[in-house]
Amino acid sequence: MKPARFRYHAPKTIEEAVDTLAEVAGEDGRVLAGGQSLVPIMAFRLARPAHLVDINGVEGLRRLSVEGERLCIGACVRHAAFHTPVVDGPLGRLLATVVRHIAHYPIRTRGTFCGSIAHADPSAEWCLVATALGAEMVARRAASTRTIPAQDFFRGIMTTALEEDELLIEVRLPILPADTRFGFYEFNRRAGDFALGMALVAFRLQGGVIREPRVALGGIESQPRRIAEAEQLLAGRAAERAAFEAAAAAVASVVDPLEDAVTSATYRRDLSVTVTRRALERAAA
Amino acid sequence: MSGEVSAGPAPQDRQRHEGGSSEGVSALRAVANKWIGRSVTRLEDPPLVRGRGRFAADISFVHQLHMRIVRAQHAHGKIASIDTSAARALPGVIAVWTAADIAEVPPIDFREGRIPAFEPYRQPVLATEQVRYVGEPLAAVFAEDPYLAEDAVDLVSFDIEEMPVLLAAEAEPGEFSPGRSTEVSVIRQGYGDVDAVLRSAPIVVDLEVSIGRHSGVPLEGRGAIARYDAARDILELHGAAKVPHRNRDLLARMLKLAPSSIHVHESHVGGGFGIRGELYPEDFLVCVAAMRFNRPVKWIEDRREHLIAANHSRQQLHHLRAAVDNEGRILAIDDRYFHDQGAYVRTHAARVVHMTAGILPGPYRVPAYRAVGHFRLTNKTPAATYRAPGRYETTFVRERLIDAIATRLGLEPNEVRRRNAIAAHEMPYHRPLEALGEEIEHDSGDYVGLLDKLLAALDWDKRKAELARRRAVGEAVGAGFAMFVEKSGLGPADGVRIEVDGSGMVELVTGGASLGQGFETVMAQVCAEVLGTDYRRVRVIHGQTDRIAYGIGAHASRATVMTASATHNGAVKLRAKAIEAAAALMQARPDALEIVDGKVLRKAEPAGPSISLGELAEHLAPTSKTLGGREPGLCAEGWFRVKHQVYPYGIHFAVVKVDRETGGVAVEDYVIAYDIGRAINPALVKGQIVGGFAQGLGGALLEEFTYNERGDPLATTFADYLMPTTREIPEVHVILREDFTSPLNPLGIKGAGESGITGVGAAIASAIDDAIGMPGAVTQLPVTPQRLKEILNRSVSSPPRSRAAS
Ligand SMILES: Cc1cc2nc3c(=O)[nH]c(=O)nc-3n(C[C@H](O)[C@H](O)[C@H](O)COP(=O)(O)OP(=O)(O)OC[C@H]3O[C@@H](n4cnc5c(N)ncnc54)[C@H](O)[C@@H]3O)c2cc1C
């Protein structure tokens, strides 16, 4: 449980950070953010980066602000920042609801929103949020910056569209309209564990009818995903149990659940029904 | 309701009297000497809460080397070759050993002595020709720092020819070595003509139930630091607690040294639970290396190692048949079980598998009994004792049987318990079975009486109705009970030496050991009360083999029963010596004197002249003119010997709520009723019980060492080996009774260390059955959401029945 030897870099600016990353990326240089995923795997020597580029001292990555219709979350913003709503309206409340399901408080004071996105655990809550809401990931390398929409960003278990020399400098979430309702439901074996299955749903209610439904599942498949079949079933229907059950059934019929030595695909498929329906019920409540 | 102590002279009352002034000086004085039964604060806490404790990793010696183990990555295979050259070439690496380098050290022997039949199955310190489980030590690296040691481990390469793995004890046994089966032995215990009773019984109940592989996972992993002091010709081993003297003797036997040339030292311990403190390969390696390199050698286990290398426990599958009469009385039990021992037989030998057979009948009369235990090896981490060994398992099995009988006959489970429980007037109750090498004799108790007290405290009829009401509106809530008999106070003997110094400070040296349970406080309370001083004036030395020649340590809920009894006996002698010496000095009759708060004074004249214990110690010094013809020193030895263990008893009660959709289980309420005979320190007893409960909950719902079909362990981190946290653990209510003091020791003590864990699997399983309306549904621990969901899916075809409300 002692990491292999590595060189430690502590840039002070974004430019320095991406320059350093450009230099060391070829030798398995990695970004160190909160370290709550990276350090444990280094201790197990499952990861042996030759260089660590520690971004914690980069002032320019701490920003958390609203720009136009977007909430911009810089790479050094910790999970714990979301405990109290960071913006008025449903988005702030949604983030404050979800954050309490991520690990335990001490971990939330170190781990970062962007680190979670870059790490891309299939059961990570922020990845589900990013997928459900259609986040944009801003990736910067020495010479250029690009914006990657959520649907193109996640590429399977712990795999993303980020290149080795790219720094995820911020994630942008759309500000949700004031009449947006959301519901989140997660099932895990213990409080604070990664989800065995979770659903995040959001919709607007207009005259008792569901508009712009978003139904996204996490922890069930190799990456979080919006389930179009369920959304189509909900759009234009009353926010009632029958609609929710139909949507949940639709989810179960299309998901391709992960399977491991301890948890079967059948169990995860069953769970997808429950978490979807319960998330919808919470949204309607 | 939590933590109450009722019956007997209630300790709270004693405490309450303390402040009272109206009762006069003599009553006050009597209270000043009262330490037994009070929840005084722990003596051991000041360094611990200030971060100044000394755990294994805190122990360092100048010039020390760090050891790191190369572990097998295959569950079963022939070692074709191990190449250590690259590791040895790394600067800072002193040596890399394989089995050939320590050929003179035999396989690890059994703690209690030689057992020729099991000898072929002992674990070598480093694997010789084969590896038999993932995690088995293959080689050891010694380096200047722990990082380097780990780097070097990466450079050791080995070539293993894989062999087929055996992963289930109930499967056909394989070959351990040519001509030698993986079935180490078949354990048999029993009495009566079981077959005849089964043939003629009106009802036969069949059961197949299993307990998952899990173990004690202390916060502090193992550690071993050895140092050879050539100046004194002493080998020191630090790190292991629990049974220091036994470990010293085993080390001496295996390393061919005189026991007196080995000093084993216990430090603070971050949890023991039976698994920590046994001798493992690493302990021998650091000792041999310290002598060979002439440098101290330190090894600290990491968590991943701990989960694959320290003893596992619990895994058993029972096929049980019980003959029952039409009233639900058990006529006979026939149990055939398979004990998954893992890859080798370790220091405990057959202890768990043997005790399982002896202890299964528990609190019930079982007129005829046969247990046949298949003690078998598999390609998994070796197993041994974990808190309540054999009892957690058998309580689950036996109480599942009680529920099954209840269902079969339409009775309440507690009615079945009443009809079968051994009655108070039958005590002492002898059963021709053995546990830990002793014939079982339940010393005292009233099992049904305790059940009645628990039901009254629960207001059970009201609660039962409330649960039924909640079920009627669709909630899956239910309750379950588990009754058990514990065994505690393993003998055969314990001794202490007590000595008062010139300041009046009392030093109590014992061969007992501390696993963090409050041992020092409890011994100090007993010593102080008997002697007549403040418990904070007693310094308790334990776990140091250089301070006292004999000791059996702390395990089997023995410490308070055995060591406190020896302390009592020693303090009685010391007190007599003090009084006698003081009588001469004070020109008083001994029976006119008493010792209060460290001073000898006249009973009739409490405010009059007195002589302190410190002064007395000086009078009794070898050079003292007032010594007279006495043996010098204000000191005494106390011994305590027993033939039988003590059998305390208890009942667990659980209320759970099941989420039918996810299979999740939440424990809403948990109550433990326990007759401890006499609680020296009720708060510490409660701590033991609640802590035990938390571990029991882990085994019931969460903790399991899982393996894939290749024998790779899957639960090797805390992300996969799930221990309950504060969020999963409900508040536990403890009903601590002092109804039946044990007749077997001077203070009437029964052990408490394991009572909180024993019944948890059983009570929770029963509560889950009740919650989902499927009697007998739970047959396997732990009850994971996926397993419970499978059970619930099965019920979709057959609608739920309700069991005769218990
Ligand atoms: C006990 C425990 C329980 C946990 N439970 C949960 C849980 O329930 N849900 C959950 O979502 N998470 C959980 N986590 C993980 C935690 O949320 C991590 O904080 C998060 O996954 C990673 O964020 P980090 O800032 O710690 O990243 P790090 O650990 O520093 O980095 C993780 C990976 O992302 C890369 N990276 C980080 N930041 C960037 C960046 N800006 N640009 C490019 N690459 C980057 C790193 O190079 C590394 O490969 C748990 C962690 C622990 C220790």
Side-chain angles (χ1 to χ4, degrees):
Chain A
M1 292 258 202
K2 308 265 185 275
R5 190 178 284 272
F6 59 85
R7 273 196 63 194
Y8 175 79
H9 307 266
K12 290 278 169 259
T13 63
I14 297 180
E15 290 68 29
E16 243 184 88
V18 291
D19 286 344
T20 313
L21 199 54
E23 275 168 38
V24 303
E27 304 164 50
D28 195 11
R30 296 246 206 140
V31 175
L32 174 69
Q36 299 302 298
S37 294
L38 183 55
V39 173
I41 58 179
M42 285 173 64
F44 284 120
R45 298 196 173 203
L46 294 171
R48 296 161 185 251
H51 298 266
L52 283 188
V53 182
D54 181 354
I55 59 170
N56 287 281
V58 179
E59 191 67 41
L61 294 174
R62 299 217 182 112
R63 92 187 176 124
L64 176 61
S65 59
V66 177
E67 264 175 36
E69 287 303 290
R70 300 252 173 283
L71 173 68
C72 302
I73 303 166
C76 287
V77 176
R78 320 269 178 205
H79 304 319
F82 300 92
H83 270 245
T84 46
V86 294
V87 279
D88 290 338
L91 179 61
R93 289 197 317 263
L94 184 154
L95 297 171
T97 302
V98 172
V99 70
R100 290 175 190 278
H101 294 263
I102 302 173
H104 307 277
Y105 189 71
I107 293 161
R108 297 200 286 268
T109 64
R110 290 300 299 166
T112 63
F113 187 102
C114 290
S116 188
I117 299 289
H119 191 60
D121 189 291
S123 292
E125 285 81 359
W126 291 145
C127 298
L128 175 66
V129 168
T131 302
L133 304 187
E136 290 169 351
M137 322 302 174
V138 183
R140 168 120 179 232
R141 54 151 62 98
S144 62
T145 302
R146 61 178 179 140
T147 302
I148 312 164
Q151 70 264 26
D152 300 331
F153 186 82
F154 297 110
R155 302 268 173 91
I157 300 175
M158 294 182 184
T159 318
T160 69
L162 279 182
E163 299 288 339
E164 281 172 358
D165 61 348
E166 275 182 319
L167 177 67
L168 178 62
I169 55 168
E170 83 184 21
V171 173
R172 296 177 185 158
L173 294 175
I175 302 290
L176 298 172
D179 61 355
T180 306
R181 291 163 163 271
F182 68 88
F184 176 70
Y185 192 89
E186 171 170 336
F187 181 74
N188 47 20
R189 302 220 18 218
R190 297 176 306 176
D193 281 350
F194 275 107
L196 272 175
M198 60 184 163
L200 178 62
V201 302
F203 51 78
R204 303 173 75 179
L205 258 192
Q206 290 170 349
V209 167
I210 295 174
R211 302 277 178 221
E212 298 169 33
R214 295 163 183 272
V215 176
L217 272 285
I220 302 284
E221 300 185 326
S222 58
Q223 66 190 61
R225 177 160 78 99
R226 277 178 71 175
I227 310 291
E229 293 82 349
E231 293 176 354
Q232 278 153 22
L233 273 167
L234 289 166
R237 299 228 355 222
E240 285 170 4
R241 189 165 176 107
F244 298 164
E245 278 178 355
V251 166
S253 66
V254 301
V255 290
D256 177 17
L258 290 170
E259 184 154 36
D260 56 57
V262 183
T263 308
S264 70
T266 309
Y267 180 78
R268 278 210 172 83
R269 190 185 304 282
D270 283 353
L271 199 55
S272 72
V273 177
T274 304
V275 296
T276 306
R277 204 199 62 246
R278 289 181 181 175
L280 286 164
E281 282 167 358
R282 285 187 173 176
Chain B
M1 188 158 56
S2 48
E4 69 191 46
V5 176
S6 15
Q12 277 94 338
D13 292 343
R14 295 188 197 128
Q15 255 169 321
R16 233 171 280 135
H17 288 166
E18 207 170 2
S21 57
S22 58
E23 293 166 58
V25 181
S26 68
L28 249 185
R29 192 188 323 126
V31 166
N33 270 356
K34 283 287 172 218
W35 300 108
I36 294 175
R38 290 178 52 191
S39 295
V40 297
T41 50
R42 292 180 6 130
L43 292 176
E44 37 283 83
D45 284 342
L48 297 177
V49 300
R50 291 186 178 112
R52 302 182 71 172
R54 198 151 60 112
F55 296 88
D58 298 317
I59 299 168
S60 283
F61 296 105
V62 283
H63 210 45
Q64 73 193 5
L65 290 173
H66 295 264
M67 181 176 81
R68 179 85 185 164
I69 303 296
V70 181
R71 297 185 184 276
Q73 295 168 10
H74 300 86
H76 197 197
K78 279 221 155 26
I79 304 171
S81 65
I82 305 180
D83 182 357
T84 61
S85 53
R88 274 184 286 125
L90 197 68
V93 171
I94 303 300
V96 183
W97 288 357
T98 62
D101 295 287
I102 49 159
E104 77 280 11
V105 184
I108 300 172
D109 217 343
F110 309 113
R111 200 204 307 138
E112 310 296 333
R114 285 196 57 195
I115 309 172
F118 295 170
E119 270 173 15
Y121 300 104
R122 292 174 302 174
Q123 176 162 9
V125 171
L126 290 172
T128 46
E129 283 144 36
Q130 279 184 34
V131 294
R132 299 178 189 275
Y133 66 97
V134 173
E136 178 165 3
L138 263 179
V141 170
F142 302 91
E144 297 287 351
D145 82 47
Y147 287 80
L148 268 175
E150 205 158 324
D151 291 345
V153 166
D154 284 350
L155 299 175
V156 174
S157 58
F158 38 83
D159 189 3
I160 306 283
E161 292 162 12
E162 286 190 56
M163 295 165 68
V165 295
L166 181 58
L167 296 170
E170 62 276 20
E172 196 55 40
E175 215 176 42
F176 179 81
S177 55
R180 190 162 273 128
S181 164
T182 54
E183 180 161 88
V184 178
S185 75
V186 179
I187 305 290
R188 290 172 209 276
Q189 291 209 57
Y191 51 84
D193 190 346
V194 172
D195 291 318
V197 180
L198 277 167
R199 269 196 305 274
S200 61
I203 296 167
V204 174
V205 178
D206 266 283
L207 220 55
E208 184 178 316
V209 295
S210 63
I211 301 93
R213 175 173 271 257
H214 62 286
S215 196
V217 180
L219 196 57
E220 183 193 19
R222 293 179 295 142
I225 304 95
R227 155 165 92 152
Y228 175 66
D229 181 352
R232 295 179 299 151
D233 184 25
I234 293 289
L235 173 68
E236 285 173 15
L237 176 63
H238 303 256
K242 179 182 175 179
V243 283
H245 290 83
R246 294 271 156 113
N247 284 348
R248 174 200 61 190
D249 295 348
L250 180 50
L251 277 169
R253 228 182 324 140
M254 284 182 52
L255 302 180
K256 301 182 181 70
L257 295 170
S260 58
S261 67
I262 301 176
H263 292 176
V264 177
H265 297 290
E266 174 173 293
S267 46
H268 282 131
V269 181
F273 314 123
I275 72 126
R276 201 172 174 283
E278 289 296 315
L279 288 181
Y280 288 89
E282 297 85 356
D283 297 287
F284 296 95
L285 286 165
V286 292
C287 286
V288 175
M291 290 191 289
R292 205 176 290 175
F293 300 134
N294 238 317
R295 291 178 67 174
V297 178
K298 177 168 182 169
W299 172 74
I300 298 297
E301 181 177 61
D302 69 35
R303 186 59 65 187
R304 183 174 172 278
E305 288 185 292
H306 184 85
L307 295 172
I308 60 175
N311 288 338
H312 286 183
S313 197
R314 299 277 199 254
Q315 192 168 21
Q316 291 183 344
L317 171 73
H318 289 251
H319 289 290
L320 181 143
R321 286 194 308 153
V324 182
D325 74 11
N326 290 316
E327 274 73 55
R329 283 188 201 89
I330 298 168
L331 303 173
I333 289 178
D334 186 15
D335 183 31
R336 177 161 181 249
Y337 62 100
F338 300 88
H339 180 92
D340 185 338
Q341 171 57 31
Y344 293 102
V345 182
R346 278 188 172 169
T347 47
H348 283 103
R351 179 168 276 211
V352 182
V353 64
H354 193 263
M355 178 149 45
T356 297
I359 210 87
L360 186 127
Y364 307 122
R365 268 179 235 107
V366 177
Y369 177 71
R370 176 169 62 209
V372 178
H374 295 270
F375 185 34
R376 291 183 177 172
L377 300 185
T378 56
N379 295 112
K380 296 189 253 181
T381 299
T385 62
Y386 166 36
R387 202 172 195 176
R391 277 100 75 204
Y392 186 85
E393 299 90 322
T394 56
T395 298
F396 176 65
V397 176
R398 182 186 62 246
E399 298 301 289
R400 292 280 68 196
L401 172 65
I402 295 295
D403 280 356
I405 295 171
T407 306
R408 186 74 168 262
L409 292 171
L411 292 170
E412 297 181 359
N414 282 337
E415 184 53 35
V416 177
R417 292 189 176 98
R418 283 175 200 284
R419 292 181 190 182
N420 287 286
I422 296 161
H425 66 79
E426 293 173 87
M427 299 290 172
Y429 185 87
H430 181 260
R431 199 178 332 245
L433 297 176
E434 279 189 0
L436 299 178
E438 297 178 6
E439 285 252 305
I440 290 174
E441 191 168 288
H442 298 205
D443 54 303
S444 60
D446 181 358
Y447 305 157
V448 171
L450 186 65
L451 177 62
D452 286 333
K453 284 169 187 145
L454 170 64
L455 294 177
L458 293 173
D459 202 351
W460 173 233
D461 290 333
K462 209 170 122 205
R463 263 192 196 232
K464 188 167 61 173
E466 168 65 11
L467 289 170
R469 190 197 59 73
R470 288 174 65 190
R471 273 196 298 271
V473 298
E475 273 190 86
V477 287
F481 292 82
M483 189 188 255
F484 60 91
V485 170
E486 255 300 328
K487 52 133 269 333
S488 68
L490 179 65
D494 242 19
V496 302
R497 211 175 49 240
I498 311 175
E499 181 151 12
V500 181
D501 71 16
S503 75
M505 192 77 189
V506 182
E507 187 186 69
L508 173 76
V509 185
T510 137
S514 169
L515 297 165
Q517 74 274 46
F519 180 86
E520 294 173 29
T521 304
V522 165
M523 297 314 143
Q525 282 179 264
V526 171
C527 182
E529 172 152 334
V530 176
L531 183 59
T533 188
D534 191 306
Y535 84 109
R536 285 159 292 204
R537 302 284 289 158
V538 182
R539 176 197 295 278
V540 179
I541 311 284
H542 52 82
Q544 311 299 325
T545 64
D546 58 338
R547 293 298 314 276
I548 187 166
Y550 180 85
I552 303 186
H555 59 110
S557 294
R558 72 180 301 281
T560 301
V561 178
M562 293 301 300
T563 314
S565 296
T567 298
H568 169 272
N569 294 350
V572 166
K573 282 164 71 179
L574 185 64
R575 182 178 186 281
K577 184 162 188 184
I579 294 267
E580 184 275 322
L585 290 163
M586 294 169 78
Q587 294 170 331
R589 282 194 7 248
D591 60 5
L593 298 178
E594 64 180 334
I595 310 179
V596 177
D597 206 13
K599 291 194 200 74
V600 188
L601 38 81
R602 286 193 178 80
K603 287 181 194 166
E605 226 184 311
S610 69
I611 181 161
S612 73
L613 288 173
E615 288 166 314
L616 270 181
E618 308 218 303
H619 280 293
L620 291 172
T623 48
S624 161
K625 294 200 172 65
T626 40
L627 177 64
R630 300 180 186 88
E631 278 288 304
L634 182 50
C635 57
E637 268 193 17
W639 284 92
F640 182 63
R641 276 172 251 275
V642 284
K643 281 207 191 63
H644 288 289
Q645 294 173 74
V646 182
Y647 289 83
Y649 56 100
I651 305 167
H652 284 201
F653 169 77
V655 176
V656 306
K657 182 168 173 169
V658 171
D659 181 338
R660 287 182 177 278
E661 286 188 52
T662 61
V665 176
V667 181
E668 285 191 354
D669 195 10
Y670 208 91
V671 184
I672 297 174
Y674 190 62
D675 185 352
I676 187 160
R678 186 136 181 223
I680 306 292
N681 184 320
L684 292 183
V685 172
K686 194 192 172 204
Q688 287 296 303
I689 292 177
V690 172
F693 163 75
Q695 291 181 301
L697 182 67
L701 297 177
L702 292 163
E703 296 176 40
E704 189 172 24
F705 290 115
T706 46
Y707 287 82
N708 68 14
E709 68 293 342
R710 300 180 51 219
D712 300 322
L714 302 175
T716 62
T717 75
F718 279 159
D720 295 301
Y721 187 81
L722 306 182
M723 306 196 54
T725 73
T726 52
R727 303 274 291 273
E728 286 71 48
I729 302 169
E731 193 186 338
V732 182
H733 303 286
V734 180
I735 302 176
L736 195 57
R737 305 285 312 181
E738 297 182 312
D739 294 339
F740 287 83
T741 51
S742 175
L744 302 185
N745 61 67
L747 295 168
I749 306 166
K750 299 178 177 181
E754 299 164 285
S755 53
I757 193 170
T758 311
V760 188
I764 287 182
S766 181
I768 292 172
D769 279 7
D770 191 36
I772 63 177
M774 295 176 69
V778 174
T779 57
Q780 181 184 9
L781 296 181
V783 188
T784 64
Q786 180 168 312
R787 285 179 189 145
L788 186 50
K789 186 75 179 140
E790 279 160 13
I791 292 170
L792 288 161
N793 286 346
R794 261 189 266 141
S795 80
V796 177
S797 39
S798 55
R801 293 177 286 160
S802 82
R803 119 177 136 204
S806 42

